[in-house]
Structures are given as C-alpha cells and as structure tokens.
Amino acid sequence: MAARANRKLVDQLKNGDRNGCAHLVDAYQQRLVGEAVEVFHVGREDAEELVSDTLLAVVRNIHTFEFKHGEGDFHAWVISIFRNKMRDFVRKQATTEGVQQFFDESELAAVEEYSAHEMQIVRAIVRQYEDANREPEDVDGNGVNMKLAVIADVLDRLETWERVLLRCRALDVPYEDIARYTGKPVSQLKVYHARVKKKFIQQLAGYFPELKGNETETTRPH
Amino acid sequence: MKQKRHDHIDLLLRLAWLEGWVNTHGAYEKAVAKREPGTGVNEAARSRLIGKLESALAAVKPEPPLTVGAMLRDTRVTRMLRPQEIFSRIGVTQNIYRMMEQDAISPLKIPVEVWNRLVTLLDLSLGELEGMLRRTHQLVLFRPALRGVLARYKPAGRKGLKAATLETAFKEMYAKAELDIPESDRHRLEELVTALRKQ
C-alpha cells in the first residue's frame, strides 16, 4: 500500500469526490475482510458487514481526520476504527453465543502443550469477560475491560522481546518483522514462541490460585 | 488442510488487544499494510459498498469549526497550506501561531491588525469569526477549570486514550456552552469585533 496515495484519498473524500469511495474500497475492503476472517476468525458474511461498517465510519468521520505525524496516519486511523468495530462485534458475541464459540475452538491449534489447569485459566478469563459483557449496568464497558487487565500485568513481567513476540504473533505479524523489532533471529523466535506462551500461561496461573488442583492432567486436542 | 496458527493464548491476547490492554506499537498496522489483500470479495459486494459509501459521503456535512484553532487547522489541511504560509502572512511568530491553532491563547491578546489580515487571507466571514472569537476566549478562560477536572480523573485501562477523549469532550462542551465571562472581557471582545467591522 502506497502511503503517499493515502493523502490523495483523504483529499478526495474531504472534498466530496465520489472517486475517493472506490479508492477506499479498493485499498481496504479485501484487506480488512482478510484480517477479520484470517486473524479474528469471523465468518465471511459477518466480516464483510463489519468492514462495510468500518469504511462507512471512515467516510462519515473523514472531516475529523488530520495527518499529524506522517503519511501512515490515515492507515493507522482506519485500523483503529476497524479495531473498535471488531471489539464491539466480539462484545456482542460474548453476550450471545460466547467468545470461544465465536473464535471457533475447532479452528484453534491443538492444546497438548497446555495442562488442564492452564486451559481452565484461559476459560475462566474468557468466562469472566463474557459475564462482564452481560452486565447491563456496565454501559461504558469498564468492567469488561478490567477483566483483561491481568493479561497486561503478566505481559509486563516478561522480557521485552518475549512480550513483543507474543503480542505480535497473536496478530499474525510476520516473524521477519518481529526479528527486526527484537534483534533476535527468525529461527530462534520460531523455536521460542511456544516456550514463551508456556511461560506466559504459567505466570498467569499465579493469578488464579483457586483453580489449582489438576495441574498434572493434560487436555486432549479437539 | 488449513494450518492452525492460533491457539487459546493467542485468543486471549487478541481479546486484550481489542480491549486496549495490549499494544503492538504500530507493528500490526504495518503488517496489515504489507500483507497481500486476500480474495473472495466479489464484484457485486464491491459495487454495493461503493454505492453505500457514496451515499454516506453525499450526506456528510462538516460541522463548522467552533473555535479559531479548529478553523485554522481545518483551513490549513483543506487548502494544503504549511503553517509558515499562514503565520508569515498574518504577522505573528511561529509560537503564537501554534498557540492560536491549539486554542491556547485568548483572541484578546492578538492585535486587531492580525485578525484583519487573517480575514483577508482566508476569506472569512466576520459573523463566523465573531462567534469563534467569543468561544475561543471562553475556552481559554475556562481551561484551568477543565485541567482541574482532568487532574481529579483517575482513568483505568487505556489511560492516555481516555484522558484524551475526556479532554476533547470538555473542550467541545466549553466551546459550545454559553458561559458567563467577566464583564471586562466581554467589553474587550465587543471592542475587538467593532474594530474589525470598521476596518
């Protein structure tokens, strides 16, 4: 994606030029649908709807957008709108069919490497998140948000490169990019990814002492 | 068979990213920009979306700027001007201009000649400018109160984002509100506007 083209696209939209709509769709529709489907495991129909809402929000709010730091500002803004739409979508799913069903557990990789206790912790956090979403009085989503604070806490305890690796790989940032950010070779990052995940879940376990009891049992893959 | 790249830990991390607890500091945005867009959206869906966006674009009516700062920023962006193209022509320093763009200086501290040059340069209507002058002065005057509120606010979670959102909301509220400003300030504002009208 050419960053310079973004300035022209923004000018077109701000000036009410209809060509800007086609350019926006060509730049983002396939790309964001791909992200929604591949990274967030949203069904294709929902993904198209979500991307449509995202791009509508871009057009409706284009007059509030300004380039402040550089050519990449517009792309970052579009992605932040996409993230907000995706978050609202996930929150809605959490109140209905549940987050794990939404992310389609069968699509997730086998979990032999995690113990039953560790899987219990994951499910407990997701359940708390779902419950908080179902609280009708929590209109601003603060309670929902707080249920995930523990994840940020545990990430902060990891080494910087471990933190970058986990955060970036969860969103499919290529290993090559992470290697540049961390200064570690790609091969090492690939080997260490599973170990760092294991370290993360073990540290997370410290926050849930009440769930201890069957650490030795290993879950079966789905 | 499709490779399963994500597991339950990724699910948690993605939730945390969506809720603002995890930040990739631009790495995700860069990755999205670099990825080859997938296929699968058909021509009909593309055309449908373009149609929707065109209707939305036709319905968009930008709100007129409330303050001098908002007006300067909007005008500069829309007309693709650099700040120095404005401040050198209206006769203020770069610092003063920056304060004007940020609504960090009362219009009463800017000489009437400067306003006159600005009206000419940007082809402003005096009626609109009058309202902006009043609202900008009001915003500058009540900013200490706004800061007081923000200082008491203890945000949880996305600290910077929440504080910034709150500040934007307060700014708009102060700009839109009809608040009592001191009689002397009101008088000086009237004098400024009268002087502008005369010239």
Side-chain angles (χ1 to χ4, degrees), chain B residues 32-173:
Chain B
V32 174
K34 280 202 287 187
R35 278 200 260 274
E36 279 300 311
T39 51
V41 177
N42 58 34
E43 187 51 38
R46 176 183 174 272
S47 305
R48 218 169 27 244
L49 181 53
I50 291 173
K52 264 192 196 177
L53 297 187
E54 284 177 352
S55 307
L57 188 64
V60 168
K61 287 192 179 65
E63 276 193 22
L66 289 170
T67 61
V68 170
M71 179 272 293
L72 286 174
R73 289 193 305 270
D74 284 0
T75 311
R76 183 165 58 74
V77 171
T78 317
R79 301 191 193 178
M80 288 187 281
L81 295 168
R82 286 173 301 152
Q84 55 266 42
E85 287 176 89
I86 303 180
F87 69 72
S88 59
R89 290 192 205 172
I90 62 172
V92 292
T93 62
Q94 185 173 3
N95 276 345
I96 295 288
Y97 178 75
R98 193 179 298 142
M99 288 168 82
M100 287 169 77
E101 266 208 4
Q102 292 168 357
D103 291 320
I105 185 168
S106 166
L108 294 175
K109 293 193 176 163
I110 308 290
V112 66
E113 301 77 44
V114 171
W115 293 115
N116 266 319
R117 284 183 216 122
L118 195 67
V119 166
T120 313
L121 178 69
L122 303 181
D123 196 19
L124 299 172
S125 105
L126 215 50
E128 281 170 8
L129 182 65
E130 189 181 334
M132 284 189 273
L133 292 175
R134 182 187 58 75
R135 288 189 292 264
T136 306
H137 177 72
Q138 184 179 277
L139 181 63
V140 174
L141 189 70
F142 288 102
R143 185 170 271 125
L146 159 69
R147 293 245 161 88
V149 172
L150 285 174
R152 285 198 303 278
Y153 181 68
K154 291 192 180 72
R158 290 163 295 172
K159 227 176 189 169
L161 182 64
K162 285 194 176 182
T165 309
L166 199 68
E167 182 163 355
T168 309
F170 269 109
K171 270 186 189 169
E172 192 175 329
M173 192 185 81

Side-chain angles (χ1 to χ4, degrees), chain B residues 20-40:
Chain B
W21 286 103
V22 166
N23 193 342
T24 62
H25 301 288
Y28 174 65
E29 286 79 352
K30 279 184 195 153
V32 174
K34 280 202 287 187
R35 278 200 260 274
E36 279 300 311
T39 51

Side-chain angles (χ1 to χ4, degrees), chain A residues 35 91 109 129 142 145 172, chain B residues 6 19 21 28 35 162:
Chain A
E35 288 301 306
R91 283 183 176 181
Y129 178 77
N142 267 338
N145 204 293
D172 275 359
Chain B
H6 301 127
E19 291 291 350
W21 286 103
Y28 174 65
R35 278 200 260 274
K162 285 194 176 182

Side-chain angles (χ1 to χ4, degrees), chain A residues 18 74 93:
Chain A
R18 290 156 60 124
F74 179 68
Q93 293 294 319

Side-chain angles (χ1 to χ4, degrees), chain B residues 106 108 137 141 181-191:
Chain B
S106 166
L108 294 175
H137 177 72
L141 189 70
I181 56 175
E183 195 55 43
S184 58
D185 285 5
R186 193 191 305 278
H187 186 64
R188 287 171 63 204
L189 271 170
E190 276 164 16
E191 277 180 353

